[in-house]
Amino acid sequence: MAFSEKIMLGRTGLKVGRLGIASGYWAPAEAIEEAFERGCNYLTWGTFVKGYSPHMRDALRNISAKRQRDRLVLAIFTYAHQSFLTEHFLLKGLKAARLDYADVLVLGFFPKPPSPRFNRWRHEA
């Protein structure tokens, strides 16, 4: 199977390329946008270390401004350990990118299982 061929992301119904881009590598916005144009539609953006990467933010804004948000699958990472901080960081990231939603919320490193209060974000299929 070629990297350009789309596959199902688990049981989500979302189709993604086999190769994605994470913001932790601090690639320039132009490189992220070029990869997106070539079929890399799975992007991850997180709050680790220095916070949300401004390069990924700019790429997300530009992709959305071109009305291509529907082709994008965005996963936002959070490393917060309390539900109110998780919500805060998620909303902060969405606002910074000028987006209404993320397709996937990834709970970063947790030394123990998250509180049952996290279930309010769980999507029932």
Side-chain angles (χ1 to χ4, degrees):
M1 185 179 290
F3 279 115
S4 60
E5 190 174 332
K6 303 285 188 248
I7 59 171
M8 193 71 64
L9 181 63
R11 294 179 294 185
T12 66
L14 300 170
K15 294 235 177 191
V16 296
R18 295 169 53 95
L19 182 64
I21 297 178
S23 62
Y25 295 99
W26 289 71
E30 297 81 15
I32 297 167
E33 292 172 54
E34 182 177 344
F36 177 77
E37 288 303 319
R38 292 176 180 233
C40 180
N41 70 327
Y42 184 70
L43 305 179
T44 63
W45 195 29
T47 59
F48 191 59
V49 186
K50 296 181 181 180
Y52 289 108
S53 160
H55 308 297
M56 182 66 79
R57 178 202 64 211
D58 293 346
L60 292 169
R61 286 179 179 180
N62 294 338
I63 290 167
S64 183
K66 293 177 186 173
R67 303 212 184 283
Q68 296 181 5
R69 172 61 179 96
D70 61 324
R71 291 181 43 216
L72 171 70
V73 176
L74 174 63
I76 291 187
F77 276 79
T78 181
Y79 295 88
H81 289 228
Q82 293 85 21
S83 60
F84 73 93
L85 286 176
T86 297
E87 184 173 18
H88 168 77
F89 287 126
L90 172 64
L91 295 176
K92 180 179 177 179
L94 291 174
K95 183 177 179 181
R98 299 183 187 139
L99 297 174
D100 295 329
Y101 66 96
D103 301 287
V104 178
L105 175 63
V106 180
L107 302 178
F109 174 71
F110 266 76
K112 59 183 179 184
S115 161
R117 295 188 331 177
F118 276 96
N119 286 334
R120 68 182 174 152
W121 285 295
R122 194 177 82 208
H123 174 71
E124 295 294 331

